[in-house]
Structure formats: structure tokens, C-alpha cells
Amino acid sequence: AICNSGTCTVVSPVTLGGGTYTWWVQTWNPAGYGLWSNGMNFSLPVPKPPIAATLLSPSGNITTIQPVYIWNVVSDSAQGDAATWYYLWVNDSSGKIFAQWYQTSAICNGNTCFINPGITLSNGAYTWWIQTWNSAGYGPWSNAGNFTIVP
């Protein structure tokens, strides 16, 4: 049932996490059990949380009261794995005015991600950040992005 043309294949009945593993095979026929094979090692990559996002826009003085927030996609790198979610946080002088998670597949295209959350802002100063996340955990917050809406 699991062998074809001299090769046998079995799918692991459990999901394995990252790390190093060893597997063995023991044969059997109606006469009984055979010896165990020599062990064979294999490794699966250990997932890493993503790195921080790099903010692009808005920045400086702007006139739009519904800005689009744009940053670079966080993809696989030596320092971390790709982000699968992003958390947008926006403050004004009184504190948090907006915070929401977004799935990468819904907001990223090519090398950039963008969100227009549809919130209308007043004239004044704002600060925004992006936090990354994937199945390995939370990435760090981005550096702060600062912008001011001017009339």
C-alpha cells in the first residue's frame, strides 16, 4: 500500500516543528519483524519572527485628511521570516486613535504594503507604527513615522 517500484513513502502522521530529527524503518512479514534500519537524520527550518517594517509614507507635512499608510514588505531574510500580518497603530497628541491588524495577502502588492483605513484626521501632528507578526511570533515595532496635516 505504501511501496511502488521499489520505493516506499509514508506521510508523517504529525506536524513537525523546526529542528533536527532522526527516522528509522522496521520491516515486517508473516514470519515476524526484521531489524531496524540505520537512522537517517533530517532538519526542518526553525521559524523566526519577522523583522521590523520600514515605513515609507505619510511623512512630513501633508494636506490629505485620509492618508494612505505605506511601508516595505517584510519578506524572508537571514534575520527573520516573512510577515504574515501587520498591525497599524496611529497616535495623535492625545494618544491612540486607531489600531488594527491586517493580513499581508490583503494589503501587500510587490514590495510594498498599503492601507487606507478610512479614518478622517484633523489638522495636527500624528505618529504611526507598524508591528509585524508570523507563526513564529511578534516582530519588533517599526521606527515611528511622523506627519502633520496642514491646511
Side-chain angles (χ1 to χ4, degrees):
I2 62 168
C3 299
N4 184 15
S5 301
T7 301
C8 302
T9 304
V10 176
V11 175
S12 175
V14 297
T15 301
L16 301 174
T20 302
Y21 298 90
T22 304
W23 64 282
W24 299 265
V25 174
Q26 185 180 31
T27 59
W28 181 88
N29 66 27
Y33 289 98
L35 298 174
W36 284 95
S37 67
N38 291 328
M40 180 174 271
N41 297 323
F42 67 98
S43 295
L44 297 174
V46 176
K48 297 179 284 188
I51 61 173
T54 302
L55 306 184
L56 300 175
S57 176
S59 178
N61 291 334
I62 65 171
T63 56
T64 181
I65 59 174
Q66 287 191 348
V68 175
Y69 300 85
I70 305 171
W71 62 93
N72 285 329
V73 167
V74 174
S75 55
D76 290 330
S77 71
Q79 294 81 31
D81 290 340
T84 54
W85 288 83
Y86 295 96
Y87 191 57
L88 169 64
W89 182 295
V90 182
N91 274 10
D92 66 8
S93 60
S94 65
K96 177 177 77 171
I97 60 167
F98 184 82
Q100 186 169 324
W101 283 102
Y102 295 91
Q103 193 167 17
T104 300
S105 60
I107 61 164
C108 300
N109 185 359
N111 293 324
T112 56
C113 303
F114 55 94
I115 298 170
N116 182 346
I119 56 172
T120 301
L121 305 176
S122 303
N123 292 342
Y126 295 87
T127 304
W128 66 290
W129 300 267
I130 293 290
Q131 184 177 32
T132 55
W133 186 87
N134 67 21
S135 62
Y138 294 97
W141 287 94
S142 66
N143 291 330
N146 296 296
F147 65 96
T148 302
I149 297 179
V150 294

